Amino acid sequence: MFETAELDEKVSKADYRRLEPELRSELVAAQKALAASPLSLVVLIGGVEGAGKTEFANRLLGWLDARGIEVYAGEGPTEDERARPAFWRFWRLLPPKGKCAVLLTSWYTTPIIDRVFKRTKRGRFDRELARITAFEKMLSSEGVVVVKLWMHLSEKNQKRRFKELEADPDTSWRVTARDWRFHGRYDRFRQVCEQALMQTNPANAPWHIIGAADRRFRDLTGARLVLEALRARLHGISAAKPGRDGQPRATHNGKDLIGALDLTLRLPDDAYKDLLETLQGRLGRLTRKLRERGRSLTLVFEGTDAAGKGGAIRRLTEAMDARLYRVQSVAAPTDEERAHPYLWRFWRHLPGAGRATIFDRSWYGRVLVERVEGFASPEEWQRAYGEINAFEEQLGEAGNIVLKFWLAISPQEQLKRFKDREVTPYKQYKITPDDWRNRKKWTAYRKAACEMIELTGLERAPWTLIEAEDKNWARIKILETVVAALRRELR
Amino acid sequence: MFETAELDEKVSKADYRRLEPELRSELVAAQKALAASPLSLVVLIGGVEGAGKTEFANRLLGWLDARGIEVYAGEGPTEDERARPAFWRFWRLLPPKGKCAVLLTSWYTTPIIDRVFKRTKRGRFDRELARITAFEKMLSSEGVVVVKLWMHLSEKNQKRRFKELEADPDTSWRVTARDWRFHGRYDRFRQVCEQALMQTNPANAPWHIIGAADRRFRDLTGARLVLEALRARLHGISAAKPGRDGQPRATHNGKDLIGALDLTLRLPDDAYKDLLETLQGRLGRLTRKLRERGRSLTLVFEGTDAAGKGGAIRRLTEAMDARLYRVQSVAAPTDEERAHPYLWRFWRHLPGAGRATIFDRSWYGRVLVERVEGFASPEEWQRAYGEINAFEEQLGEAGNIVLKFWLAISPQEQLKRFKDREVTPYKQYKITPDDWRNRKKWTAYRKAACEMIELTGLERAPWTLIEAEDKNWARIKILETVVAALRRELR
């Protein structure tokens, strides 16, 4: 894989002087076109130590208009980052539309290093690479152009570069004991990187391997590749254009899971009051334990309009310490949120360890209201199932207990509740023309909900269907489910 | 100060039952009015341990619509917070317009505790309180309604409360060794808090002291005070209305500091090249040292249009590692930024330790373009001097080296550069109709700039005026100033 990059291609000083000014003005022009486009650019610079990844980043920033470009070279996860999913630190720094980021540390860094030093097994490494592929595909679909450059040096050249740098007092600080340790494992490193690159090399986000023995060749080639990839996407002539890759749509077995619920289930008031008190007591103690253990809880509430989400959430929060929970309702995205991938508005507010977040509607809007109302294209909502599963999987890995509830009522019950809201003064704010409009699309919403439950019901982030015709029954079933899950997880 | 709160006022169960429903619906109505207003609400809950600050927060969240309310009870600054100004953790969690936050830990917490345990002297404590007063005044002016509640218990009642809590297995965990340690210093704590409250008690952000011996009285009174403060601001009948307090305007001695510059200063090309190389080498080494020491650098560039800010910045960044700097240009605020106090859009992106941030135009826009063009009201730009000074003072305390440059050219030179930009294809993007329009307001901008330099030239965050008629001279003077400051600070 690295053979071509070891041909030691060179660019002479004269050629460099001739080629640089033109490349530079083309880069600035492309950056201006980017600023006016709905795309954003991520330049990911990987490669062997000593290949000059940072030197190249310096050069690229010098050629571009550096204003607003985010350069990331974070060393290890910080306290805030460790309390959240592994990709959170990258999710956060994705540039908005029109802007650019340069990553010297990326989602490849930890998986590769852990594999080189055999801290992870091959199976885990493969899963990490598969996750990266899915993540980059999502970025591409969401208008983030990811240009992946790999700076390569042969073993011999790496040694020579380290010696060169060490010989000059101005640069000797750049060669560390860690670099020589990596050099000692050159073969292992090369082999692991080859696996990584081969497995994450799809047409829509290919790797570009650059021979870095000659600095002028490295810089011109790297910058030229950035320029070409950006131009290709800007001109819409790239194979990487989103939504055109004939992705098979998610399949669904067509079962009406919600229709199968027994909506006659009831709980009398006296039993309800007893159970409520007991379960709220338990929930209070368990959320304290959650905090002590540094775990987190994510509860998602979706359901038919007027199914009683708000009331059920209140029965949970009554039992909890205000310092430990946050109720998040989904509002229209802000302009910053619209300039980022769909899930970004949820990523950015992820709580740290020890907290509970309760979503009154959630990212599932993508495959419910946005699907039914046509706000998301079929390509967008179809790929959302996989994207959401990947997101929740990462939440789970970060110690987050994820539970999702679908609250179901019958059309007759909904009508009764709507009418009740219209005539009761302090409930009037709860009913809007949207509610009546959505009601007319009952069947379409039902179908979307069933598909969603089928396609996103993960073992570690399960859906619980709630018969919500009777509010007592619904609230107790939800409390029981949360208490049982917390007990299991905090055993 | 706490005498009234020790009268042990009570609310009977019957009264509570009667009063609660009405209060609750009034609170929800006020919250709805808030959501539609340009205001935001911060409920700050302070007080003695055992007074039930968290219990009250739970109750308040139960009465309000909890969705979107941020509750903050952070214990100590995190890694990310320690790398930034002390107030950064509070700046970040200010709610946007229409929303609400509840602070159980606030900007009072650390100053009071440090003073109780004599980790700070009285003089420092007084300065911290003065800073808080200025900060709250700014919040009030920017439409943030801060309701400050102080939950009080007499020494006897505190002891009784702790014993009560300890006796019940469900609540015994709430009483910690730290609580008893505070109880042992009750008198000292009371005395320090009294000082704190007295010195931060202006008409626009007064303290409300609530006797917390009776829970029903505490909760009804606290919630009622929140309701009243919010209503008063919503109805515009409060004395706290911003910009009406006859604040004296910043005075300026009227000197034309910029006009006094000698714009004939020149540096020949050969001397420039030698100096550039030497100074860039030094700057490169010093920024590395900056990182090693965990210090930060903030450079602010302001000046006449076409004065050469971009070129000067490039001469700095050429010498620096791309991982260590970020060039930030000021764009139009996003809708999230418009929903927060003016400085928030700068606060939110403050870099961590070891980094350099270069601002190509900055928060000084408030007292330059926004003043001259009338985008900010006189009240707004006049108070901005003090707000900016307070901000930069905090940057300095957090280890940030702040340097500010004003680049000055003559009207003749500007005209020449504008015309050159119009005829040179690769410079055309640099000239806009705005530039020609601003040029017509030369005198107004000059006056605003001189006042700004006079009123915000702090010893720890000085302005350096740059004679920029000759680009060589300007660039070298800037490099020399930065290098000298870094040498002094990193000695």
Side-chain angles (χ1 to χ4, degrees), chain B residues 141-155:
Chain B
S141 304
E142 293 276 334
V144 184
V145 183
V146 182
V147 182
K148 302 191 291 190
L149 305 178
W150 188 266
M151 303 298 183
H152 183 73
L153 279 183
S154 65
E155 187 170 6

Side-chain angles (χ1 to χ4, degrees), chain A residues 24 32 54 57-58 61-62 64 66-71 73 75 78-80 82 104 170 173 285 288 291 314 320-323 325-327 329 334-337 348 355 360 429, chain B residues 24 32 54 57-58 61-62 64 66-71 73 75 78-80 82 104 170 173 285 288 291 314 320-323 325-327 329 334-337 348 355 360 429:
Chain A
R24 215 172 145 158
K32 279 188 64 195
T54 303
N58 291 347
L61 253 76
L64 292 165
R67 290 180 297 177
I69 298 182
E70 186 77 60
V71 178
E75 273 165 20
T78 64
E79 196 176 323
D80 276 353
R82 277 191 300 273
L104 287 156
D170 259 1
W173 63 278
R285 285 188 292 275
R288 237 156 52 218
R291 190 190 194 180
R314 194 176 276 270
M320 289 158 67
D321 185 328
R323 293 171 296 185
Y325 73 86
R326 185 183 159 101
V327 182
S329 67
T334 66
D335 52 10
E336 290 178 50
E337 289 169 346
R348 65 193 295 222
R355 305 207 57 184
D360 186 345
Y429 76 94
Chain B
R24 214 172 145 159
K32 279 188 64 194
T54 303
N58 290 347
L61 253 75
L64 292 164
R67 289 180 299 177
I69 298 181
E70 186 78 58
V71 178
E75 275 167 15
T78 65
E79 197 177 320
D80 276 354
R82 277 191 301 272
L104 286 156
D170 258 1
W173 63 278
R285 284 188 291 276
R288 239 158 50 219
R291 190 191 194 182
R314 192 176 279 271
M320 290 158 67
D321 185 327
R323 292 172 296 184
Y325 73 86
R326 186 185 160 99
V327 182
S329 67
T334 66
D335 52 10
E336 289 178 49
E337 289 168 347
R348 65 191 296 223
R355 305 206 59 182
D360 186 346
Y429 76 94

Side-chain angles (χ1 to χ4, degrees), chain A residues 262-283:
Chain A
D262 178 2
L263 296 184
T264 65
L265 291 165
R266 294 272 177 289
L267 193 67
D269 282 353
D270 46 352
Y272 168 72
K273 274 181 197 147
D274 285 352
L275 282 165
L276 184 69
E277 204 185 318
T278 313
L279 288 166
Q280 284 188 335
R282 285 186 193 149
L283 179 63

Side-chain angles (χ1 to χ4, degrees), chain B residues 300-353:
Chain B
V300 170
F301 285 85
E302 296 283 353
T304 321
D305 290 328
K309 292 187 295 295
I313 290 171
R314 192 176 279 271
R315 297 311 175 286
L316 293 167
T317 57
E318 278 171 2
M320 290 158 67
D321 185 327
R323 292 172 296 184
L324 301 188
Y325 73 86
R326 186 185 160 99
V327 182
Q328 190 82 46
S329 67
V330 172
T334 66
D335 52 10
E336 289 178 49
E337 289 168 347
R338 275 189 300 269
H340 281 98
Y342 169 69
L343 286 170
W344 188 80
R345 60 186 174 127
F346 303 101
W347 293 337
R348 65 191 296 223
H349 292 305
L350 283 184

Side-chain angles (χ1 to χ4, degrees), chain A residues 185-227:
Chain A
R185 297 197 174 229
Y186 184 91
D187 286 340
R188 170 85 185 151
F189 185 78
R190 181 185 170 120
Q191 179 205 335
V192 169
C193 292
E194 192 173 83
Q195 285 162 16
L197 269 59
M198 273 170 44
Q199 286 184 62
T200 56
N201 205 19
N204 63 347
W207 277 104
H208 304 286
I209 302 173
I210 300 166
D214 179 70
R215 288 184 169 91
R216 288 186 292 266
F217 176 80
R218 176 196 68 200
D219 292 350
L220 284 181
T221 309
R224 167 79 41 205
L225 286 163
V226 170
L227 176 65

